[in-house]
Amino acid sequence: MLNVGKIEEGFVLDHIEAGKSLSIYHHLQLDKLDCTVAIIKNARSNKMGKKDILKVECDINTLDLDILGFIDHNITVNVIKDGEIVDKMPLTLPKEIKNVIRCKNPRCITSIEQELPHIFVLSDLKKEVYRCKYCEEKLDRRTL
Amino acid sequence: MRHLMSPLDFTPAELDNLFDLAGDIEHNMPKYAHACEGKKLAACFYEPSTRTRLSFESAMLNLGGQVLGFSDANSSSASKGESVSDTIRVISCFADICAMRHPKEGAPMVAASHSSIPVINAGDGGHQHPTQTLTDLLTIRSLKGRLRDFTIGLCGDLKFGRTVHSLIHALVRYPGVRFIFISPEELRVPDYITEMLQEKGVSYEEVIRLEESMPNLDLLYMTRVQKERFFNEEDYVRLKDFYILNKDKMALAKPDMLVLHPLPRVNEISVEVDSDPRAAYFKQVQYGVYVRMALILTLLDIQV
């Protein structure tokens, strides 16, 4: 089995649905950080069968938990300091998400209006439905 | 400052005030003839819509105000590539209130967020057309005397019709409203609407033939069934007559049932129905002017 070492300070994002780690890597813009990032794919998991894990060695204030909550609020966020887990941050579905997803409705004003932020608003917490703030098009979360 | 983007922007209590004002306008037109003197309405129509634009213009002129604007995107700066947010900033310097029709959904909302004058959504693509819904509600309230405790049949294209969807959302806020959805299988009301009705415990049924439900209706809201919405010619030919309202079907209805239609009507209501006292679709147009007058006064905060 492959072993990836501990990190000293940063986060471990655990219980990522297998295959989703790269998408999360891009949405969190980890490619723009000048720090060590380990992407572990298809790790064995008792709970999930297999899962992805992201280890990010960076300042703990760099992570946008809203984006992560939006993508998958079942991910476990472990905060690491001095090589130990010091906190687990709960993820919730954010009320609003800005410039993470583009509205795909060709009739939406966002398709022509320049500089307009793409905003999705949580319209049904129970069913986890987001809708475009402008045209109310339902977001298909499978496309994330 | 308030705008109107969706018919649900106003609470039922606020709508009551709006409709009371519209009712007073109906019976005391001269009282309001100078209410908007010195005020200007910008009718910014990025796509043609003669009836809605003329209704807004008529409303402002009845109030003694003036009207400016454009009636298609080619005669505006949009054809030069100007954004909606820039256009409304400019229009805000020329007028006191703006009615905007735009083919892109959400455009009036973008305008409202950059505007220093009230913006009314006069229709944005297939999304919202709130003043049509306000017109429908005022017509029902004025002619039925109430906005509660009735059975309304919605007939025709219930899948794509935005006026129908908006009206359902607006009516579920009133107690005792029961819905009968009358449409071919292909054009049934979307699932998210029936789910919403189930969650709210609102009574509804779905039927295919108009005749079946006629005797139970207090109101019938007709819409057009377009041939191109059908999957094949055979189904269209088989079903189209189910959705054409004529004298025979009217004979099955209650003596005080009302027929509404957002217009334009093509052939879904036979002209022989026009002379029936229960045909309310042309009165509905008149109520559209009254409700737009009330809306302009309310958004401009003008008391008469």
Side-chain angles (χ1 to χ4, degrees), chain A residues 45-85:
Chain A
S45 162
N46 290 336
K47 198 165 112 184
M48 304 167 73
K50 56 183 182 174
K51 64 180 181 179
D52 288 3
I53 302 168
L54 277 172
K55 292 188 171 191
V56 189
E57 200 160 45
C58 67
D59 180 343
I60 53 168
N61 296 313
T62 358
L63 193 67
D64 186 338
L65 289 180
D66 270 359
I67 293 180
L68 205 54
F70 172 69
I71 296 169
D72 184 354
H73 59 91
N74 296 313
I75 294 171
T76 310
V77 181
N78 297 313
V79 182
I80 313 290
K81 262 193 175 169
D82 302 322
E84 300 298 328
I85 298 175

Side-chain angles (χ1 to χ4, degrees), chain B residues 103-222:
Chain B
K104 291 290 181 186
E105 297 170 7
M109 181 188 271
V110 173
S113 63
H114 292 89
S115 178
S116 55
I117 59 172
V119 177
I120 300 168
N121 181 359
D124 57 338
H127 182 218
Q128 295 282 359
H129 188 3
T131 56
Q132 178 65 51
T133 308
L134 297 186
T135 300
D136 299 340
L137 294 177
L138 176 65
T139 308
I140 297 170
R141 186 185 190 255
S142 302
L143 299 179
K144 274 281 163 207
R146 62 184 191 278
L147 268 174
R148 56 184 297 163
D149 301 317
F150 54 69
T151 300
I152 181 167
L154 297 138
C155 176
D157 179 355
L158 307 185
K159 184 175 182 182
F160 298 100
R162 71 176 168 189
T163 47
V164 166
H165 301 168
S166 288
L167 184 59
I168 297 168
H169 278 111
L171 284 176
V172 294
R173 303 199 292 178
Y174 298 95
V177 177
R178 295 167 297 279
F179 295 93
I180 299 182
F181 301 126
I182 308 146
S183 74
E185 188 66 27
E186 293 89 336
L187 300 176
R188 280 176 55 198
V189 75
D191 288 347
Y192 76 88
I193 288 190
T194 47
E195 282 166 18
M196 179 269 293
L197 295 175
Q198 284 162 19
E199 269 172 31
K200 290 181 187 293
V202 176
S203 155
Y204 73 93
E205 62 178 296
E206 295 183 86
V207 300
I208 290 181
R209 297 177 70 110
L210 180 55
E211 286 103 323
E212 289 171 21
S213 39
M214 282 303 272
N216 304 319
L217 301 178
D218 300 304
L219 288 153
L220 172 60
Y221 197 96
M222 291 293 295

Side-chain angles (χ1 to χ4, degrees), chain B residues 39-45 53 56-57 60-61 65-71 90-99 117:
Chain B
K39 302 282 183 191
K40 291 186 285 289
L41 166 84
C44 301
F45 278 62
R53 183 169 57 84
F56 270 109
E57 294 190 4
M60 194 53 166
L61 295 173
Q66 289 175 303
V67 179
L68 64 164
F70 51 88
S71 55
V90 172
I91 300 286
S92 294
C93 304
F94 300 151
D96 302 280
I97 187 164
C98 172
I117 59 172

Side-chain angles (χ1 to χ4, degrees), chain A residues 105-107 109 113 136, chain B residues 84-85 104-105 109 127 199:
Chain A
N105 176 6
R107 299 175 309 277
I109 184 66
E113 184 89 351
E136 296 183 75
Chain B
V84 170
S85 51
K104 291 290 181 186
E105 297 170 7
M109 181 188 271
H127 182 218
E199 269 172 31

